[in-house]
Amino acid sequence: MDASFTPVADHALLITFAQTQDLQPRNAIAALDRSLAENPLDGVIETVPALVNMLVVFDPLVTDHSILKNSLRTYLSKPVPDIHGGTQHRVHICYDGPCAPDLEAVAKATGQSTDAVINAHLSGHFDVSMYGFAPGYAYLTGVPDSIRVPRKPTALRDVPAGSVIIAAGQCLITTLTMPTGWSRIGRSPTPVLTGHPDKPFLFDVGDRVVFERIDLATFHTVTQDTSHV
């Protein structure tokens, strides 16, 4: 896939695959990120994948923009593998009462019942496309068209960790108490922050997330169990 390269300071290279997000650039970014993880280039310190581009951070004492650009072009000349080669994760979600304070508002905004919104969300094909904003904040693409609502005009403070929130075509599981203008349609007891230094987050870019519904009693039980881990 064609890509453009932009030097960033003396220690990074920004690879841009598209101007608007779509499946093809997301596949290419996830594939390149995975390839560099499996077969690292000399001097590369970190890769930061996003929705339409990826930042490659390197040690300027080991390599430079030109050398890295040529090496990356070799990677990009290979066929792009399927993004769904990543791991599939089952994430519990509760849509009941206090766990989903914006569920009725989303239903009203989209002209359907709350059950229809829940069923649509459960049927979504969610891919982990990038991390950003805060530790463990995995942006999931794939919200069904039927339940897409815009971000609210103002943010609400103190939204609890584990909230499953949506805005436009994206979904996110919060990892800490935070303000947000996204719609809160459920809450998950599944921990995204693992506590392991080698793999601090549950998901990798390119992974897939499948939501599995639980009731409020199960949510409280699982939450109590994980709080003692």
Side-chain angles (χ1 to χ4, degrees):
M1 183 177 181
D2 291 337
S4 62
F5 298 83
T6 304
V8 178
D10 64 346
H11 64 281
L13 192 64
L14 183 67
I15 313 167
T16 302
F17 292 86
Q19 297 303 313
T20 57
Q21 56 175 300
D22 199 354
L23 181 60
Q24 188 177 16
R26 290 204 306 269
N27 279 354
I29 292 165
L32 179 59
D33 185 54
R34 191 172 298 136
S35 294
L36 290 174
E38 295 172 352
N39 302 286
L41 294 172
D42 289 342
V44 171
I45 298 172
E46 181 184 14
T47 57
V48 186
L51 295 178
V52 298
N53 51 34
M54 186 170 81
L55 186 71
V56 180
V57 182
F58 61 86
D59 182 347
L61 298 179
V62 177
T63 188
D64 60 29
H65 296 105
S66 179
I67 294 172
L68 186 59
K69 179 179 176 180
N70 290 333
S71 298
L72 289 169
R73 284 196 181 281
T74 300
Y75 276 75
L76 295 175
S77 66
K78 302 174 183 178
V80 177
D82 187 353
I83 190 175
H84 302 311
T87 303
Q88 178 169 290
H89 303 269
R90 289 199 168 271
V91 173
H92 288 141
I93 180 172
C94 178
Y95 298 100
D96 297 340
C99 288
D102 293 324
L103 184 59
E104 289 190 7
V106 171
K108 183 178 180 180
T110 57
Q112 54 192 321
S113 67
T114 55
D115 283 342
V117 173
I118 292 170
N119 289 334
H121 187 253
L122 288 171
S123 69
H125 299 285
F126 297 99
D127 295 317
V128 181
S129 294
M130 62 173 282
Y131 277 99
F133 186 70
Y137 274 44
Y139 286 78
L140 313 178
T141 54
V143 174
D145 291 343
S146 63
I147 60 171
R148 293 191 179 190
V149 290
R151 187 185 185 280
K152 300 175 186 177
T154 56
L156 178 70
R157 299 181 63 180
D158 298 327
V159 173
S163 295
V164 179
I165 57 179
I166 60 172
Q170 295 181 323
C171 178
L172 195 150
I173 307 164
T174 64
T175 56
L176 68 163
T177 301
M178 59 167 282
T180 183
W182 293 29
S183 294
R184 302 156 294 162
I185 64 166
R187 196 168 172 198
S188 175
T190 303
V192 177
L193 301 179
T194 66
H196 298 298
D198 295 335
K199 191 179 185 338
F201 308 142
L202 177 62
F203 312 127
D204 290 319
V205 171
D207 286 356
R208 168 161 284 193
V209 173
V210 176
F211 287 98
E212 185 174 295
R213 187 176 186 178
I214 57 174
D215 59 23
L216 190 58
T218 303
F219 171 81
H220 288 310
T221 299
V222 175
T223 301
Q224 290 172 358
D225 289 344
T226 56
S227 67
H228 294 95
V229 174

